[in-house]
Amino acid sequence: MKGYHDIVGDGGSRILDQVAEQRSRITDGLAGVRHLVAVGSGKGGVGKSTLTLHLAGALRARGLRIAILDAEFNGPSLARMAGVQVALFVPGSHKVSLPRTKNGIAVFSMGSVIPESEALEFESAAQGESHTWRATREFALLGEILASFEWGALDLLMFDLPPGAERTVQYADFLGPRASFLLVTIPSEVARGVVARSVAALSKGAFDGAQGRPNRRLLGYVENMSGYYCRDCDAIKPLFISSDEPAVLRIPCLGTVPFDPELARHCDRGFPLEDLPNTPVGRALDHVAQQLLDSLESTTEPPL
Ligand SMILES: Nc1ncnc2c1ncn2[C@@H]1O[C@H](COP(=O)(O)OP(=O)(O)OP(=O)(O)O)[C@@H](O)[C@H]1O
Ligand SMILES: [Mg+2]
């Protein structure tokens, strides 16, 4: 049996050529995209997907051209939230065309391809050892999606990332210097502590690009579930009891978004937010969207 040390060079796989070829297809495919924005968090369940979709909606309402890539391949939520669960992938003019929400946001989500009753499996040559290949396969798939779909001319391509401080860094490495990061937390100390770790992980190596240019940009964070919107009393009430010494996140806060059960219902049913315009959650999302836009436009463009 051959061990790793017995393999000479690339073992005849031409792996470096394959990676370079995929990279060049991705660069071509994203040539018309102005901003890549990844929404992440070390912590799960804090509202990354919800904010990605509804910030995209608020930006779309300003006339921007937006697409979302749901990078959570194993537990995709964007297809349901965006109402594209039964979408078809059809040939476009050059590549595969993306399904769109009613308000015109292009969405790629594994949830449009695989029903919720089924799991996506990353096959492994060795049974019971799927972890060996998982990250490699996951990122190869992400690359194929970026290279094969018709992203076209976009103001923003948003990535809804899976949770995990370490995984967020892997996405940052994969997406390279063009990608900016928006982190999501909730007002619990547990979540803030984990997100503080994500900030530390992403900040490491963030500024060692060629000629002192940034490798990645941390735009800031959003505090989601910042209070609970009670419809009966039309007031925002505390949801978490704030600590005397909250963990400090050393990046700008782009805004706070309250918990609104109506928003959760909209997400579950795949309804757009337009019918919640003049509510605290609608206004909060609109404010964060504007802050995000200002932050993107005010930061110098990183190298292509
Ligand atoms: N501000 C909010 N108001 C009401 N419901 C919310 C809010 N933010 C998130 N939710 C709900 O909380 C749940 C978790 O949100 P979401 O799936 O967006 O989190 P996530 O961070 O993407 O999770 P994961 O880490 O699994 O990807 C969803 O049911 C969503 O509808
Ligand atoms: Mg999610």
Side-chain angles (χ1 to χ4, degrees), residues 111-168:
S112 301
V113 185
I114 301 177
E116 285 172 350
S117 55
E118 286 175 28
L120 172 68
E121 282 176 33
F122 288 102
E123 283 174 19
S124 163
Q127 276 252 311
E129 294 291 321
S130 59
H131 63 276
T132 319
W133 293 112
R134 199 188 124 169
T136 312
R137 293 223 171 199
E138 212 169 39
F139 281 95
L141 176 59
L142 176 61
E144 270 317 299
I145 292 164
L146 286 171
S148 311
F149 282 85
E150 210 162 66
W151 302 100
L154 290 176
D155 294 298
L156 258 89
L157 170 55
M158 300 179 79
F159 294 84
D160 174 23
L161 300 188
E166 177 56 24
R167 287 180 92 194
T168 310

Side-chain angles (χ1 to χ4, degrees), residues 39-52 54 70 72 75-78 81 160-164 184 186 223-227 229 239 257-268 281 285:
V39 181
S41 177
K43 198 86 182 114
V46 291
K48 296 178 292 297
S49 305
T50 306
L51 292 187
T52 305
H54 293 294
D70 180 356
E72 174 62 285
S77 26
L78 247 298
M81 287 185 179
D160 174 23
L161 300 188
V184 182
I186 58 173
E223 187 176 87
N224 189 27
M225 307 192 192
S226 188
Y229 176 53
L239 192 57
V257 178
F259 185 93
D260 181 346
E262 266 305 312
L263 177 59
R265 197 174 70 92
H266 274 59
C267 289
D268 281 348
V281 76
L285 285 162

Side-chain angles (χ1 to χ4, degrees), residues 114-274:
I114 301 177
E116 285 172 350
S117 55
E118 286 175 28
L120 172 68
E121 282 176 33
F122 288 102
E123 283 174 19
S124 163
Q127 276 252 311
E129 294 291 321
S130 59
H131 63 276
T132 319
W133 293 112
R134 199 188 124 169
T136 312
R137 293 223 171 199
E138 212 169 39
F139 281 95
L141 176 59
L142 176 61
E144 270 317 299
I145 292 164
L146 286 171
S148 311
F149 282 85
E150 210 162 66
W151 302 100
L154 290 176
D155 294 298
L156 258 89
L157 170 55
M158 300 179 79
F159 294 84
D160 174 23
L161 300 188
E166 177 56 24
R167 287 180 92 194
T168 310
V169 174
Q170 291 179 344
Y171 282 92
D173 288 345
F174 184 88
L175 296 173
R178 288 192 65 197
S180 307
F181 282 76
L182 175 67
L183 298 182
V184 182
T185 188
I186 58 173
S188 87
E189 279 317 294
V190 171
R192 279 186 148 254
V194 174
V195 177
R197 226 181 271 282
S198 310
V199 174
L202 281 171
S203 305
K204 236 185 197 173
F207 294 104
D208 64 0
Q211 292 130 29
R213 284 175 175 164
N215 270 337
R216 62 186 72 120
R217 292 182 288 172
L218 279 172
L219 299 170
Y221 73 95
V222 180
E223 187 176 87
N224 189 27
M225 307 192 192
S226 188
Y228 161 81
Y229 176 53
C230 169
R231 283 206 146 60
D232 294 338
C233 41
D234 192 24
I236 294 176
K237 300 186 159 180
L239 192 57
F240 293 88
I241 297 166
S242 56
S243 140
D244 296 337
E245 289 177 37
V248 179
L249 301 180
R250 296 178 196 284
I251 52 172
C253 177
L254 301 193
T256 59
V257 178
F259 185 93
D260 181 346
E262 266 305 312
L263 177 59
R265 197 174 70 92
H266 274 59
C267 289
D268 281 348
R269 303 211 171 162
F271 295 160
L273 202 65
E274 280 104 76

